[in-house]
Amino acid sequence: QVQLVESGGGLVQPGGSLRLSCAPSGSILSINTMGWYRQAPGKQRELVATITSRGTTYYPDPVKGRFTISRDNAKNTVYLQINSLKAEDTAVYYCNAPGRLGVVFDWGQGTQVTVSS
């Protein structure tokens, strides 16, 4: 079973940037769509970005224009560039593969992003 390992989070001031990385323990080349999710305190986990194997991306409106997902198949890594960070972006960020019944893999530990001055 593939284990998902997220990294790159931290404490950042409003307006700052971060790049998150997701390095699965197994190959994700066969996985068409990978995504990033986040869960803020007291809220449900939500999808914030997806990318297909061909590079087609999707972002929900709250993050569109500030979040950029990318995928390096050679490194078996998925990235999430977050710019113009806002306090409401504070959350634990996870990667996973969207599936018909939710997600494909067990959730990893995620990486904490805290936006505060």
Side-chain angles (χ1 to χ4, degrees):
Q1 173 71 304
V2 172
Q3 292 184 329
L4 302 169
V5 181
E6 300 92 349
S7 63
L11 173 63
V12 63
Q13 292 185 341
S17 299
L18 281 174
R19 188 175 82 153
L20 310 182
S21 299
C22 170
S25 62
S27 174
I28 56 171
L29 285 178
S30 64
I31 303 298
N32 180 53
T33 302
M34 290 295 297
W36 280 94
Y37 300 73
R38 69 183 179 187
Q39 187 167 22
K43 295 187 177 181
Q44 288 189 330
R45 189 152 22 204
E46 62 176 349
L47 179 70
V48 295
T50 63
I51 186 167
T52 70
S53 56
R54 292 187 176 187
T56 301
T57 58
Y58 160 79
Y59 308 95
D61 287 342
V63 307
K64 197 174 293 183
R66 299 189 299 117
F67 287 26
T68 303
I69 188 171
S70 60
R71 181 172 182 169
D72 187 332
N73 289 328
K75 294 183 178 180
N76 199 52
T77 302
V78 182
Y79 302 98
L80 184 69
Q81 178 70 39
I82 311 176
N83 298 326
S84 302
L85 277 157
K86 305 176 181 180
E88 51 263 43
D89 295 322
T90 295
V92 180
Y93 285 71
Y94 304 85
C95 68
N96 213 314
R100 287 186 178 183
L101 299 178
V103 292
V104 173
F105 304 114
D106 290 339
W107 293 103
Q109 292 188 332
T111 186
Q112 175 72 49
V113 172
T114 302
V115 184
S116 175
S117 55

